[in-house]
Amino acid sequence: MLRRLIRPARRLPVWLLLSVTAPFVLEVLLHMWRWSVPRPAAELDAPFFTACQEPDVGARRENAVLVMLARNHELEKANKTITSIDSHFNRWFNYPVLFLNDEPWSPRFVDVLNKTARGLATFEVVPRNQWTFPEGVDVDAAKQNIKEQGERGIPHAGEEGYHHMCRFYSGKFYQLDALKKYKWYWRLEPDVDFTCAITYDPFVQMARHKKVYGFTIALWEVGKSCPNLFRSMADWKEMMDIPTRGLWKAMVSPSWVPYPFRRFMSWLPYRDARGDEWNLCHYWSNFEIADMDFFRTRAYQDLFEYLDKKGGFYFERWGDAAVHSLAVAMLADPRQVHHFEDFGYRHDQLFQCPANAPGGQLPNSKLLLGSATSSPEMENGIGCRCECDGRTTSNHPGSCLNLLKSPTTIKRPWYSRSS
């Protein structure tokens, strides 16, 4: 049967076949070129420092806060994180620490964590109206859908509280009364290890270099958790006539299907209305150092309200990491995003571990006493007194990191799309 269908095509003249197919091939190549990420003339996001610094304990501080959302039963894991960040950073810089919970704090949690934070901590409860289903959502239907998501094996999707958390961090977080007096935040999670000394003030450097968002790890999102998130965000982007920036291009895998057939691809998950696909890359938001004024802008808040009305925080499992990442790609200049590649960081099973900078460990510094290193210095290392083994800089694929850094670096893998 197939041979009968192919046989007539073999009889067609070559020039006719070429004349028919050439316009489609040319259109696809042009389409791919339009989505290529421009290569910058120079590195646009170098590390702020590439060796230990003498901590400037008397310098001006930014209006910033360390923030952790935790629950009473996570006392040990929360205490581990605060112990780690205090010994590796905050013992020199003394930024306040804000703990958030959707339930009243236990006296023991407050007592233990306040001691670990050396009295710098405050404890707040998220208002109930910011940790619940939004108006207009069919609550019974949402709860049933959450149950079904859990049964399908989507990570955390069967937990109602996890959906509330994703919605809260995606929008309501930035309007929280307890945070309104601050401009910058450093997001922390229970069960985190910082494995290098952080001897400079990242908030000051972010402000000095006009950055709005900082991250450590970039990964793929769990695709089945948010099949319609990218379409919703791309629709809003087009509706608001927002220009396409390099970072948005880096998050899109353009379709190889020629126009006009490409639009049929829009029926598939993770696609925009033209049929191009989100590659699922995003910043892992359990670590964020960011300017809250960026997320408080009218543009971002309008985007969040648009997404909130779509219902995807409950009828799918739209994560705050994906929402933040796509919003930053859409609304920020790539040069405003910073990779803290000099930070040693571990959460769950994933880590980032820079090698120690050769000749840059300040062995005679009195302020750095207690920040002993157990890892050797290595050529091209940028870490400060890192305890982790810098011979393995990470334990996760680097594909997304390479893609999301492509708008700001001239060092790219051969497979990257560049122009």
Side-chain angles (χ1 to χ4, degrees), residues 40-57:
E43 295 296 321
L44 302 179
D45 184 41
F48 295 139
F49 296 98
T50 56
C52 292
Q53 306 298 302
E54 195 71 27
D56 192 346
V57 296

Side-chain angles (χ1 to χ4, degrees), residues 100-164:
L100 299 174
N101 193 346
D102 63 307
E103 297 178 348
W105 290 106
S106 71
R108 174 166 165 72
F109 191 105
V110 172
D111 181 60
V112 171
L113 269 298
N114 203 33
K115 287 178 181 176
T116 304
R118 297 177 293 108
L120 296 171
T122 55
F123 302 82
E124 298 285 345
V125 176
V126 178
R128 183 57 55 190
N129 63 357
Q130 296 186 356
W131 192 274
T132 189
F133 297 96
E135 292 183 9
V137 167
D138 184 329
V139 174
D140 291 336
K143 289 186 175 183
Q144 178 60 30
N145 198 281
I146 289 169
K147 180 176 179 291
E148 292 170 359
Q149 290 177 54
E151 292 169 350
R152 294 200 302 272
I154 302 172
H156 303 294
E159 306 163 24
E160 181 181 316
Y162 194 87
H163 289 260
H164 291 323

Side-chain angles (χ1 to χ4, degrees), residues 49-69:
F49 296 98
T50 56
C52 292
Q53 306 298 302
E54 195 71 27
D56 192 346
V57 296
R60 179 186 65 86
R61 301 284 182 260
E62 287 294 324
N63 181 19
V65 62
L66 315 183
V67 183
M68 180 189 293
L69 178 66

Side-chain angles (χ1 to χ4, degrees), residues 74-342:
E74 296 177 300
L75 188 154
E76 290 186 9
K77 291 181 178 180
N79 198 47
K80 179 179 183 178
T81 299
I82 299 303
T83 299
S84 185
I85 198 169
D86 197 72
S87 63
H88 291 89
F89 168 74
N90 215 32
R91 64 178 170 129
W92 302 300
F93 297 96
N94 295 305
Y95 276 102
V97 183
L98 174 63
F99 290 94
L100 299 174
N101 193 346
D102 63 307
E103 297 178 348
W105 290 106
S106 71
R108 174 166 165 72
F109 191 105
V110 172
D111 181 60
V112 171
L113 269 298
N114 203 33
K115 287 178 181 176
T116 304
R118 297 177 293 108
L120 296 171
T122 55
F123 302 82
E124 298 285 345
V125 176
V126 178
R128 183 57 55 190
N129 63 357
Q130 296 186 356
W131 192 274
T132 189
F133 297 96
E135 292 183 9
V137 167
D138 184 329
V139 174
D140 291 336
K143 289 186 175 183
Q144 178 60 30
N145 198 281
I146 289 169
K147 180 176 179 291
E148 292 170 359
Q149 290 177 54
E151 292 169 350
R152 294 200 302 272
I154 302 172
H156 303 294
E159 306 163 24
E160 181 181 316
Y162 194 87
H163 289 260
H164 291 323
M165 182 271 290
C166 290
R167 176 177 180 258
F168 172 70
Y169 263 135
S170 293
K172 300 298 181 181
F173 171 78
Y174 303 104
Q175 305 300 329
L176 200 65
D177 285 342
L179 287 171
K180 283 183 177 178
K181 62 183 177 181
Y182 297 111
K183 175 178 172 64
W184 297 90
Y185 75 101
W186 183 336
R187 177 170 165 179
L188 305 173
E189 293 284 328
D191 187 28
V192 162
D193 288 315
F194 291 92
T195 54
C196 301
I198 302 167
T199 55
Y200 63 89
D201 189 332
F203 298 114
V204 169
Q205 296 304 318
M206 290 280 284
R208 183 173 295 163
H209 291 86
K210 297 181 172 55
K211 306 287 187 178
V212 299
Y213 191 84
F215 72 100
T216 53
I217 292 173
L219 297 169
W220 289 293
E221 178 58 291
V222 179
K224 58 185 179 181
S225 69
C226 52
N228 291 298
L229 172 62
F230 179 66
R231 176 61 178 270
S232 295
M233 296 192 75
D235 285 350
W236 186 86
K237 175 181 176 292
E238 185 167 346
M239 185 170 60
M240 295 292 105
D241 198 25
I242 295 173
T244 299
R245 302 173 186 267
L247 194 48
W248 185 266
K249 289 182 176 182
M251 287 193 171
V252 171
S253 296
S255 173
W256 285 90
V257 177
Y259 180 86
F261 310 106
R262 186 184 306 126
R263 287 187 176 271
F264 292 114
M265 303 298 289
S266 66
W267 298 345
L268 300 176
Y270 333 120
R271 304 271 177 165
D272 63 18
R274 291 180 170 82
D276 294 307
E277 183 181 24
W278 174 33
N279 55 29
L280 298 179
C281 289
H282 72 299
Y283 306 116
W284 210 28
S285 65
N286 49 70
F287 175 103
E288 292 179 318
I289 296 179
D291 182 351
M292 283 189 279
D293 287 347
F294 170 81
F295 291 101
R296 290 167 177 156
T297 58
R298 186 69 265 159
Y300 181 83
Q301 288 298 312
D302 283 351
L303 170 61
F304 169 72
E305 294 296 333
Y306 176 83
L307 295 176
D308 205 23
K309 291 175 182 176
K310 290 284 184 178
F313 289 110
Y314 296 98
F315 291 96
E316 295 182 10
R317 200 224 68 190
W318 291 358
D320 56 279
V323 172
H324 289 181
S325 301
L326 288 166
V328 167
M330 185 194 307
L331 300 172
D333 187 288
R335 290 171 292 186
Q336 294 178 289
V337 179
H338 182 64
H339 178 211
F340 284 99
E341 58 185 299
D342 56 316

